[in-house]
């Protein structure tokens, strides 16, 4: 009995796998966002090669020069200069470096910490779970931004501090969601089998649980990237993030306020546009990844 | 019901306890609290005086006990900059923050709900894509940048709106839009998904089976149900707005608690910063608790659970 | 009016996927007739197209659905040619339907009275007062105790059986000619099921309704219906009077279905279930859709889909075995 059904199943499976692979490559792939992210990453890596000027040193005589196409602009400063006569284009290019370094590192640290704690909490359960989840609750009670500002205010501004602060603030979101996933994975047959086979808890968590939550962690990380970049810009804008004279997009916006009332639009519009493009791209990529890798997260 | 409420209150208290513990220890792990509590540029003698005044030489648990008992009495110390009681200072700034948050909330609901409904009713059509794009933009633009761009456009170029300060209704327009923008995007997404869920429900199907005009199906049967999650979240969102308005209040020089926090950071006025963060955490935990309990009273299904 | 109350002529309703690449023949070339006051049972496994058929009659299909061909004649007029406005005046007023999950069919935020009175107010432009008066009568008709206080209550305050009967009251509120009941009893326990079926029967008699009963339960069909249509993979494989089909089913699928009903005093130790899975509706097998599971399969069944054969007076079957001269 069931001959045809049993026969057709593997065929259908291979077909749908091949189909899925093809769909993964083509269907709605966010070409432009990925291109933007890659460009920003490349610009960040080769900042010192591309940038036409030193981003931290300006010529005071060249203050508030508008972009090249406006009256008073020069080709030497394509996107104009700021209140200290520093080249905006060069600062934007080096700002990409700060955004990328802070964004990626903070997301990775937060992801490692949150995923580890989420797996431990979800798999071990009992009091370990209680302790970790109560701490998560308490940390989640504070709005990320306020928490980050508070931490930044007590440790003082520097790039490495910002990374640690953002990781410390953002891990809770991973822990919550990963724990939820682990709770259901724990009940699956292959985990039970591993328990029966006598694998240690550590081995099970590493070899059987971890690979099954990696997708979720990646999706969360991509979606967090934008939020983290905005958080870094906000901290820098408020003066508790990247310390001047280093070029960071948020810091540039804070400086840009000085020329805003005089109508020096480029100091406000350009850095903000960079943040927006980067965050928008990360969000679009994250949305796409979420649908592709992790259908359960669609509700997020 | 009683057990549910008690359990929720217990968990909330635990959250607050852990939060205070976190803040207390973070201050001590990351450096010398005396330096933070002293005015900038304090001498060695001043620092020693502060150590004795705040008992920083005593065992940690004694210090924590004194910290928490003072905080419970609303005693967060004196502001270095304003030379007044920090709690009073915070309370005097709160009304302005609430006003701004309320205006931002109104804006986010007025924009988010209709666009969410249109997107859900015209799902996968042009309107829906436009709505999605709007929501995505809302989530991708830092609120302070939205504020700056508005100042540039409406104050500097057009001269229509005041760029900073408070007092008139015109002063409220740009800050509330800048603050409400992200929440409008959230509300739009939430309204859309909840509306889609309701539109697929059996009672909406029945309303159509009854032969009701589509306007009545959506306006009466779907709308009210779809709004429940949005309104539920509005309460907690309001509190989050009050506590995350720091950037917007800074950009527009709005005299709320966010501006106070910024001043606290700029002037290294640590008691102000500490009070601000403790109040933020308390407000959010308490609001979450109230929403949970209120919800249990409203929805019988939650009441009988567990 | 002459002719039957409702007649389907070669109705086909297909679902087309977003990019138009996959077509699911949810209802394929279905023809049947229902007279005033008659009761038709539609049986089949889930996914056989029963619900799509019912929703087609009301033109309340999901956006992916397309009417490919055929006619739905109601009182002699083709429903597929009506405007949306005209169709809305038929829904709830001339043709009513009780959904699969009546428990979830009531809006939790409005009172019972409001929801029962709503179709009366919309279709007959009755005032609020007179509509609520009618609603009260309807609650009495479906045997709700203390209707005066119930009208002001909300759905969650009522028991499942009561909500079920209220959905029934809504369905008959405008005295429709046809009442479609889509598995209305699956969510109820057995005693309430029986009560509800009796109520539907009584309502049918008192209002001279034509009743279309969609179910996978052949026992209910035997009890309630005078005609039965058997659906398989979007096609109506057999149609005819209940007694005739139960005594001499022509289609092997119907035969298998009947053999799977437990009977009182049955001497056999176990029931014969039908082997295999129902086909994927978007990729049905070639020829007769039932052939992979059919115990009497012939070569012809694998390549050629059988047309409708008249087996006896009023009984049709889509099986090559029923072809003239093959028996």
């Amino acid at each position: 009995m069931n001959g045809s059904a049993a026969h057709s199943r593997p065929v259908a499976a291979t077909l749908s796998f091949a189909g899925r692979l093809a769909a993964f490559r083509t269907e709605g792939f966010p070409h432009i966002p990925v291109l933007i992210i890659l460009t920003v990453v490349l610009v960040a890596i080769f900042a010192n090669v591309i940038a036409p000027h030193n981003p931290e040193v300006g010529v005071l005589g060249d203050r508030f020069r508008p972009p090249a196409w406006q009256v008073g602009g020069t080709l030497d400063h394509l996107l104009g200069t700021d209140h200290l006569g520093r080249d905006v284009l060069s600062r934007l290019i080096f700002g990409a470096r700060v955004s990328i370094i802070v964004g990626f590192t903070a997301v990775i640290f937060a992801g490692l910490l949150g995923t580890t704690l989420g797996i431990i909490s979800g798999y071990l359960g009992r009091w370990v779970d209680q302790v970790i989840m109560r701490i998560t609750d308490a940390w989640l009670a504070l709005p990320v931004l306020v928490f980050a500002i508070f931490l930044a205010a007590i440790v003082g501004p520097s790039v490495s501090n910002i990374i640690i602060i953002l990781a410390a603030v953002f891990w809770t979101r991973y822990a919550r969601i990963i724990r939820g996933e682990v709770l259901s994975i724990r009940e699956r047959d292959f985990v039970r089998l591993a328990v029966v086979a006598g694998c240690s808890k550590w081995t099970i968590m590493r070899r059987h649980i971890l690979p099954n939550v990696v997708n979720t962690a990646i999706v969360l990380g991509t979606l967090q990237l934008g939020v983290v970049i905005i958080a870094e810009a906000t901290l820098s804008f408020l003066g508790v993030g990247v310390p001047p004279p280093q070029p960071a997009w948020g810091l540039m916006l804070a400086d840009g306020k000085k020329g805003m009332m005089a109508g020096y639009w480029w100091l406000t519009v350009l850095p903000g546009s960079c943040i927006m493009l980067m965050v928008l791209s990360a969000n679009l990529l994250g949305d796409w990844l979420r649908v592709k890798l992790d259908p359960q997260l669609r509700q997020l | 019901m009683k057990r549910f409420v008690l359990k929720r209150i217990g968990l909330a208290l635990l959250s607050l306890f852990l939060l205070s513990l976190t803040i207390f220890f973070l201050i001590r792990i990351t450096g010398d609290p005396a330096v933070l509590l002293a005015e900038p540029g304090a001498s060695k003698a001043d620092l020693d005086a502060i150590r004795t005044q705040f008992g920083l030489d005593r065992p940690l648990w004694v210090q924590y006990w004194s910290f928490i008992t003072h905080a419970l009495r609303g005693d967060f110390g004196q502001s270095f900059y304003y030379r007044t009681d920090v709690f009073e200072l915070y309370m005097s700034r709160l009304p302005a923050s609430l006003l701004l948050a309320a205006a931002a909330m109104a804006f986010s609901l007025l924009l988010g709900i209709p666009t969410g409904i249109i997107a859900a009713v015209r799902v996968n059509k042009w309107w829906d894509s436009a709505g999605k794009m709007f929501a995505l933009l809302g989530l991708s633009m830092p609120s302070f940048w939205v504020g700056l761009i508005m100042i540039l456009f409406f104050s500097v170029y057009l001269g229509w709106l005041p760029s900073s300060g408070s007092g008139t209704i015109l002063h409220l327009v740009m800050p509330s839009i800048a603050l409400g923008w992200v929440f409008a995007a959230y509300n739009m997404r939430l309204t859309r998904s909840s509306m889609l869920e309701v539109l697929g429900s059996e009672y909406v199907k029945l309303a159509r089976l009854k032969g009701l005009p589509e306007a009545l199906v959506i306006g009466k049967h779907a709308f009210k149900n779809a709004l429940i999650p949005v309104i539920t979240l509005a309460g907690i969102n309001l509190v989050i707005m009050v506590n995350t308005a720091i950037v917007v209040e800074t950009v527009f020089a709005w005299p709320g608690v966010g501006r106070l926090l910024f001043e606290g950071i700029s002037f290294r006025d640590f008691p102000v910063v500490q009070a601000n963060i403790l109040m933020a955490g308390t407000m959010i935990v308490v609001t979450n608790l109230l929403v949970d309990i209120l919800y249990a009273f409203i929805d019988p299904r939650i009441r009988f659970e567990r | 009016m002459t002719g039957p109350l409702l007649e389907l002529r070669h109705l086909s309703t297909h679902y087309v996927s977003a990019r138009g690449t996959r077509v699911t023949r949810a209802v394929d070339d279905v023809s049947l007739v229902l007279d005033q006051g008659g009761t038709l049972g539609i049986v089949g496994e889930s996914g056989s197209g029963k619900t799509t058929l019912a929703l087609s009659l009301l033109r309340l299909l999901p956006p992916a659905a397309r009417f490919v061909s055929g006619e739905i004649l109601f009182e002699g007029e083709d429903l597929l040619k009506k405007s949306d406005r005209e169709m809305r005046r038929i829904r709830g007023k001339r043709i009513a339907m009780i959904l699969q999950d009546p428990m979830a069919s009531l809006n939790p935020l409005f009172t019972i009275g409001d929801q029962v009175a709503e179709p009366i107010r919309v279709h007959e432009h009755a005032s609020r007062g007179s509509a609520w008066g009618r609603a009260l009568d309807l609650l009495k008709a479906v045997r709700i105790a203390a209707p005066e206080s119930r009208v002001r209550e909300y759905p969650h305050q009522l028991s499942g059986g009561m909500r079920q009967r209220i959905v029934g009251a809504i369905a008959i509120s405008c005295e429709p000619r046809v009442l479609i009941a889509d598995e209305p009893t699956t969510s109820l326990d057995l005693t309430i099921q029986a009560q509800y079926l009796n109520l539907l029967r009584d309502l049918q008699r008192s209002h001279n309704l034509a009743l279309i009963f969609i179910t996978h339960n052949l026992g209910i069909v035997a009890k309630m219906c005078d005609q039965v249509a058997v659906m398989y993979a979007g096609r109506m494989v057999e149609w005819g009077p209940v007694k005739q089909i139960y005594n001499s089913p022509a289609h092997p699928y119907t035969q298998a279905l009947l053999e799977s009903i437990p009977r009182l005093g049955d001497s056999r130790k176990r029931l014969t279930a039908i082997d295999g899975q129902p086909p994927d509706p978007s990729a049905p097998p070639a020829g007769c859709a039932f052939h992979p599971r059919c115990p009497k399969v012939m070569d012809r069944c694998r390549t050629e889909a059988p047309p409708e054969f008249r087996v006896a007076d009023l009984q049709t079957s889509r099986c090559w075995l029923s072809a003239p001269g093959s028996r």
Side-chain angles (χ1 to χ4, degrees):
Chain A
M1 100 177 197
N2 257 349
S4 64
H7 175 70
S8 68
R9 201 167 293 135
V11 176
T14 26
L15 269 179
S16 77
F17 180 73
R20 239 184 294 159
L21 205 70
F24 189 89
R25 280 207 219 99
T26 56
E27 203 180 298
F29 183 80
H31 296 283
I32 297 174
V34 168
L35 204 69
I36 290 175
I37 294 174
L38 283 179
T39 312
V40 176
V41 169
L42 285 176
V43 164
I45 292 173
F46 298 107
N48 33 9
V49 184
I50 310 168
H53 294 273
N54 182 330
E56 294 179 15
V57 181
V59 179
L60 281 174
D62 275 344
R63 298 173 71 218
F64 295 127
R65 214 166 263 289
W69 61 89
Q70 278 193 325
V71 181
T74 59
L75 279 176
D76 192 31
H77 299 289
L78 269 180
L79 298 179
T81 58
D82 67 3
H83 65 293
L84 296 177
R86 295 175 296 196
D87 182 49
V88 171
L89 177 62
S90 308
R91 285 183 70 74
L92 285 177
I93 289 171
F94 276 91
R97 188 176 269 188
V98 172
S99 274
I100 291 291
I101 291 175
V102 173
F104 278 88
T105 343
V107 162
I108 289 168
F109 281 165
L112 288 178
L113 185 61
T115 307
T116 311
L117 288 176
I119 290 176
I120 291 174
S121 180
Y123 187 72
L124 295 184
R126 293 140 79 82
W127 66 268
V128 181
D129 184 35
Q130 284 296 320
V131 169
I132 295 178
M133 280 303 116
R134 291 293 82 79
I135 294 175
T136 312
D137 280 349
W139 285 47
L140 275 171
L142 282 178
V144 267
L145 198 59
V146 178
F147 200 3
I149 289 170
F150 169 75
L151 290 175
I154 56 177
V155 297
S158 84
V159 170
S160 54
N161 278 353
I162 290 301
I163 292 172
I164 295 168
I165 287 166
L166 292 178
V169 170
F170 279 102
W171 67 269
T172 45
R173 274 127 243 266
Y174 290 90
R176 261 282 178 80
I177 290 167
I178 299 283
R179 171 184 172 267
E181 298 249 300
V182 172
L183 284 183
S184 69
I185 293 171
R186 197 172 64 168
E187 303 304 322
R188 300 248 292 272
D189 284 343
F190 62 88
V191 175
R192 293 198 167 147
L193 215 65
V195 176
V196 175
C199 294
S200 73
K201 281 176 179 166
W202 173 240
T203 316
I204 292 172
M205 284 193 263
R206 197 164 44 87
R207 302 252 315 262
H208 298 283
I209 308 253
L210 179 64
N212 284 289
V213 296
V214 161
N215 274 1
T216 307
I218 290 174
V219 172
L220 278 174
T222 323
L223 289 171
Q224 281 299 19
L225 183 61
V227 186
V228 168
I229 289 175
I230 288 190
E232 178 266 314
T234 307
L235 292 181
S236 300
F237 179 75
L238 291 174
V240 289
V242 178
Q246 276 193 68
W249 293 339
L251 203 55
M252 291 176 73
L253 283 171
D255 290 340
K257 263 192 92 179
K258 298 184 177 84
M260 200 169 61
M261 280 308 161
Y264 301 146
W265 61 270
W266 59 95
L267 298 177
T268 297
V269 173
L270 297 177
S273 306
C274 290
I275 297 173
M276 187 186 74
L277 272 182
M278 185 64 203
V279 175
L280 190 62
S281 305
N283 284 343
L284 284 167
L285 179 62
D287 274 346
W288 180 78
L289 276 177
R290 171 172 58 186
V291 175
K292 286 291 158 195
L293 290 181
D294 200 343
Q296 285 127 345
L297 274 175
R298 270 176 206 188
Q299 300 302 327
L300 258 183
Chain B
M1 184 66 196
K2 210 172 172 185
R3 270 189 58 193
F4 172 76
V5 172
L6 285 176
K7 193 178 165 193
R8 293 298 314 163
I9 292 177
L11 281 177
L13 286 176
L14 187 62
S15 268
L16 282 177
F17 168 69
L18 288 173
L19 192 66
S20 62
L21 211 61
T22 310
I23 290 169
F24 176 82
F25 279 104
L26 277 175
I27 293 168
R28 277 149 186 84
I29 291 168
T30 50
D32 184 356
V35 176
L36 289 171
L37 290 167
E39 295 179 47
S43 67
K44 177 103 178 40
D46 287 342
L47 287 177
D48 286 339
I50 283 184
R51 281 195 188 99
T52 11
Q53 186 197 334
F54 288 92
L56 296 176
D57 40 6
R58 287 178 296 168
L60 274 180
W61 66 270
V62 179
Q63 287 185 40
Y64 177 72
W65 180 249
S66 124
F67 164 79
I68 203 75
T69 44
H70 279 91
L72 282 176
R73 273 183 269 135
D75 178 5
F76 297 106
Q78 293 276 313
S79 158
F80 303 144
Y81 184 76
Y82 287 100
R83 306 275 167 197
T84 50
D85 183 65
V86 169
F87 188 67
E88 274 173 26
L89 193 61
Y90 185 88
M91 283 323 216
S92 72
R93 294 293 191 90
L94 197 56
S97 277
L98 286 174
L99 175 66
L100 174 60
M105 178 57 68
F107 167 76
S108 75
L109 292 176
L110 286 176
L111 184 61
I113 292 174
T115 45
I117 287 176
I118 292 171
V121 172
R122 300 253 175 277
V123 65
N124 294 333
K125 301 266 169 60
W126 187 88
W127 266 106
D128 191 21
S129 316
K132 270 186 201 156
M133 207 57 220
F134 152 74
L136 211 55
L137 271 180
L139 298 176
S140 305
M141 292 200 263
S143 57
F144 63 92
W145 188 57
V146 175
L148 292 174
I149 293 289
M150 278 194 291
I151 291 177
L152 195 63
F153 199 72
F154 293 108
S155 305
V156 178
Y157 290 150
L158 296 174
W160 289 355
L161 293 167
S163 66
S164 69
S166 64
T168 70
I169 198 95
L170 286 180
H171 285 99
L172 198 54
V173 176
M174 289 197 293
S176 56
I177 292 177
L179 182 58
W181 183 258
V182 176
F183 291 87
Y186 280 131
N187 283 334
M188 184 259 163
R189 279 193 167 181
L190 187 61
T191 308
R192 178 180 178 273
S193 66
S194 110
M195 189 76 182
L196 278 179
E197 195 185 319
V198 170
L199 284 178
S201 73
E202 293 289 293
Y203 53 81
V204 165
K205 226 190 252 176
L206 182 68
R208 293 206 167 111
L209 283 172
K210 282 174 173 176
L212 305 188
E214 196 61 15
L216 204 59
V217 173
I218 288 166
K220 179 181 171 185
H221 285 274
F223 183 68
K224 245 181 141 179
N225 283 286
L227 229 50
I228 291 176
V230 183
I231 299 302
T232 311
L233 273 184
I236 191 71
N237 276 346
L238 191 76
V239 177
I240 292 178
M241 277 180 178
V242 168
N243 289 299
T244 51
I246 170 164
V247 251
V248 171
E249 289 186 3
T250 305
V251 168
F252 291 99
W254 185 265
V257 291
R259 172 92 188 146
L260 183 66
L261 176 58
F262 178 70
E263 289 166 357
I265 294 167
S266 313
F267 305 143
R268 296 193 34 78
D269 195 348
F270 189 73
V272 166
V273 177
Q274 179 177 280
N276 222 305
I277 187 151
L278 278 170
M279 289 302 290
T282 312
M283 274 162 83
I284 287 174
V285 170
V286 170
T287 315
N288 268 328
L289 174 70
L290 289 179
V291 167
D292 274 1
I293 292 176
L294 206 69
Y295 217 66
F297 270 107
I298 294 167
D299 195 332
R301 279 166 300 182
I302 298 180
R303 213 182 307 161
F304 296 118
E305 210 177 280
R306 73 196 103 184
Chain C
M1 187 196 77
T2 54
L5 178 67
L6 183 70
E7 184 178 358
L8 304 191
R9 288 187 185 157
H10 305 288
L11 180 72
S12 296
T13 310
H14 296 177
Y15 290 107
V16 182
S17 68
R19 278 181 293 165
T21 46
R22 278 161 73 92
V23 174
T24 306
R25 297 167 175 235
V27 172
D28 201 19
D29 194 20
V30 169
S31 303
L32 53 79
V33 171
L34 180 63
D35 289 317
Q36 181 135 0
T39 311
L40 167 71
I42 300 180
V43 287
E45 293 160 306
S46 42
S48 61
K50 297 169 296 183
T51 302
T52 306
L53 182 61
L55 291 174
S56 297
L57 299 179
L58 288 151
R59 278 184 38 200
L60 269 183
L61 291 159
R66 306 272 182 282
F67 289 108
V68 180
S69 63
E71 293 175 320
I72 304 173
L73 298 175
F74 174 68
E75 296 180 328
E77 291 177 46
D78 188 357
L79 293 184
L80 296 183
K81 295 206 173 83
K82 300 251 180 222
S83 70
D84 286 349
R85 229 184 135 83
E86 288 170 319
M87 206 51 224
R88 214 166 51 229
R89 287 201 205 106
I90 288 170
R91 274 180 220 135
K93 168 92 179 127
R94 313 288 298 157
I95 306 177
M97 181 164 171
I98 296 172
L99 292 167
Q100 259 176 27
D101 185 5
M103 310 282 279
S105 302
L106 294 173
N107 193 322
L109 299 183
F110 297 98
T111 57
I112 301 300
D114 182 68
Q115 297 189 56
V116 177
E118 200 173 28
I120 304 169
R121 296 185 65 187
V122 168
H123 288 298
E124 297 171 14
H125 307 288
S127 71
R128 191 184 135 88
S130 73
W132 275 64
R134 290 262 301 277
L136 214 59
D137 293 339
L138 284 163
L139 293 197
K140 277 178 204 151
V142 296
R143 296 169 207 152
I144 298 270
E148 294 81 4
S149 59
R150 293 296 186 197
V151 279
R152 261 175 273 285
E153 292 188 341
Y154 288 88
H156 73 265
Q157 293 170 287
L158 307 186
S159 73
M162 266 195 266
R163 274 188 262 176
Q164 185 98 28
R165 277 176 277 154
I166 283 167
V167 172
I170 293 173
I172 58 163
S173 59
C174 293
E175 314 223 324
R177 299 326 308 144
V178 180
L179 175 61
I180 305 167
D182 188 359
E183 313 221 13
T185 57
T186 34
S187 54
L188 296 180
D189 63 56
L190 282 174
T191 46
I192 298 177
Q193 249 187 43
Q195 279 175 18
Y196 193 63
L197 292 175
N198 286 334
L199 176 70
L200 283 179
R201 265 243 105 125
D202 293 351
L203 290 175
Q204 182 194 16
R205 283 191 193 126
S206 56
H207 292 76
N208 196 23
L209 290 168
L211 194 61
I212 297 178
F213 215 98
I214 296 172
T215 180
H216 52 254
N217 186 332
L218 284 167
I220 291 181
V221 172
K223 182 172 177 257
M224 298 283 295
C225 307
D226 32 61
Q227 284 185 74
V228 60
V230 182
M231 301 274 296
Y232 187 82
R235 299 214 157 167
M236 194 174 77
V237 293
E238 185 155 12
W239 176 50
V242 168
K243 273 190 194 137
Q244 211 167 309
I245 286 187
Y246 276 48
N247 289 332
S248 54
H251 198 285
Y253 178 60
T254 318
Q255 290 163 8
L257 275 184
L258 286 171
E259 274 163 32
S260 66
I261 320 178
R263 270 173 236 247
L264 216 60
D266 202 329
S267 56
R268 286 171 304 165
K269 279 283 181 293
R270 47 180 271 260
L271 302 165
T272 45
I274 308 173
D275 281 347
Q277 295 293 313
D280 174 2
S282 64
C288 171
F290 187 57
H291 85 254
R293 297 165 76 186
C294 185
K296 299 172 182 169
V297 60
M298 305 178 293
D299 281 344
R300 192 177 194 183
C301 306
R302 297 184 216 275
T303 51
E304 256 179 288
E308 219 154 68
F309 295 110
R310 187 156 294 270
V311 187
D313 223 17
L314 299 170
Q315 186 180 356
T316 65
S317 158
R318 272 181 189 270
C319 178
W320 288 117
L321 287 172
S322 311
S326 68
R327 256 202 281 214

